[in-house]
Amino acid sequence: MRVFGLQIAIWAVLSFQVSLEAQVWVPSGTETRRPSALQFDTGASSFKGDYYGYISPNFTYNHGSNFGYSFSLPVNTLLVDRDPLIEGAKAGKIREMDYNSKNDYARVLNYVSYGTYNQQNPGQVTYSFYAGKVIDGYIGHGTIVNKYQSSSRFDSYNPSIMADLNSDYGGVQYFSNSVMNFDVNAARVYIKPLAIGRKIYSFFDKSGSNVSYMMNIRGNVLDDAGRLTVEEEVGGDKNKSVSKKKEIRPINKDSRMELVDNDPWYNRLTLGYTTAWDKAAPLELYYNSNGSPVTVTNKDNPTTKEITRVSIEGFDLEYRLLNLPFLELTPYVDINRIKGLDQSQGTHYGTIFRLGTKDLNIILKPEFRRMSTNYAPMYFDSFYEIERFQNFPVSAPMRTKYEQLQGQAKGTVTGYYHTVYINFYHLGFEFAVEDYGGKNNNRIFAAAYIPLGSSFLLSFYYTKKGYDGSGKAFQVDENAQGAAEISKSFGPLVLRVQNYRRYFLNPSEKVFQSTDELRFLVSGGISF
């Protein structure tokens, strides 16, 4: 492979003293906000053998620690056109695929964010909203919507939405793949029946003297968004008039470490219901006589001959058996089904296990699955922006994901999806593997966030699905995508090298193809 370093799609980041910052692998909704600044990226890029000039001014502003927004205007202009020549292209022309549909103009939105998604604080009602670039869109335990990618294509950009509301008695989560079209949506409602029952009982028990707070293990854990401790937020620490400023760092979606403080037994049982749907999923495509897909006017999507509504629903249950400052254990079970497909059902048995403290821990999430052959776990995943039209593994002619499931012979499949997280202060690593045996039933995900010293940081993610055997996991081909950046500060400027591996529709080849875009950039700016 030419530019995809280490055969892993890596995008890493380096921050400078003016706090220029960007990250490619940070859980969405808990994304590390850029500091308030007027910034720029400028340089050159290589894409499909051609060379482009690149510039992207950026404006970011944060209103306190909860609310912030960031906008950019990325522009690629042609510098050198190599064979095969682009029809009608000339030097200085903006790359056509970047702004040839109304959705593409949403590229200006990096994010608008309030609060922290999936942040639960006992005794408080918390809520959040995030609209923008999503790398890890998810709902609940991630068995239906997980690691959703809003930017998995070069020729189409869909900033997504994640929002939630949480309380001691229940809450709701919402996800949408696009602020423009709202094609894919998911909502989860959950309740805490023991907490509700205890509250109802308290209305009839006037004595209040026999209330027992079993297993109420207290701690002093700062929340990852850089807010006060729980005790400080409720006014328990009167001696600290000014909160100590914390660096905003991502939290782990699969650990409830922030609940160590004031986490009674009746608050730990959660029952949830999720419904997710693609309101206009392609079922059948139009093809030319040579077998290539007919494309719509803007050439970004194939033309659909028939669409359908794909709906998935599921029930989940979890109970947090242990929640100590150094140990957490939460078993769960999810039972999901795809509506409209005969006996399409999957059961997920998992456990979230954390060992360690806030800054130094390892989190294991083994999940075993038993499902019918016409069921797809994590139906809406990192590849779904492509799989709406082309199921993985890549093949020609294109077949949509739902069409492929309809044609599956009846049967039962067992397998697993195991995840491990390692958090070492400011360093973070994540690795996941999925396997069901048989042909083309493997998936892998790898990511890291690695600051080295005060002026160097490496961040990357890589994912691949639809391959056979572990030996092919890191063979970068049409079934892989990811991103990477590495950079170094020199005085007031930051030199950056980026690489993206994403997809674009190639009608002549009759498939979506993945390819690399390599950028060499200089970044600078002023903070305020």
Side-chain angles (χ1 to χ4, degrees), residues 34 57-60 69-73 108-112:
R34 299 179 180 184
N58 169 272
F59 175 77
T60 300
Y69 45 82
S70 180
F71 299 92
S72 297
L73 184 59
V108 300
L109 174 63
N110 292 323
Y111 63 80
V112 175

Side-chain angles (χ1 to χ4, degrees), residues 20 85 172 264 271 303 306 337 361 366 406 413 434 491:
L20 287 173
L85 299 180
V172 62
L271 303 177
T303 303
E306 182 180 356
R337 71 183 184 100
N361 61 70
Q406 281 186 321
V413 175
E434 178 182 36

Side-chain angles (χ1 to χ4, degrees), residues 13-17 247 424 426-427 449-458 487-489:
V13 184
L14 180 74
S15 299
F16 166 59
Q17 58 191 3
E247 178 183 351
F424 185 81
H426 300 293
L427 281 71
Y449 178 72
I450 311 171
L452 299 174
S454 61
S455 62
F456 182 90
L457 193 153
L458 172 68
S487 56
K488 181 73 174 71
S489 63

Side-chain angles (χ1 to χ4, degrees), residues 124-161:
Q124 299 181 20
V125 175
T126 62
Y127 51 91
S128 71
F129 174 83
Y130 179 92
K133 180 181 179 180
V134 161
I135 296 169
D136 186 22
Y138 69 96
I139 288 284
H141 298 128
T143 58
I144 297 177
V145 180
N146 197 18
K147 287 183 170 56
Y148 200 96
Q149 279 272 11
S150 65
S151 57
S152 57
R153 294 174 54 182
F154 286 111
D155 50 14
S156 179
Y157 177 70
N158 279 319
S160 304
I161 295 174

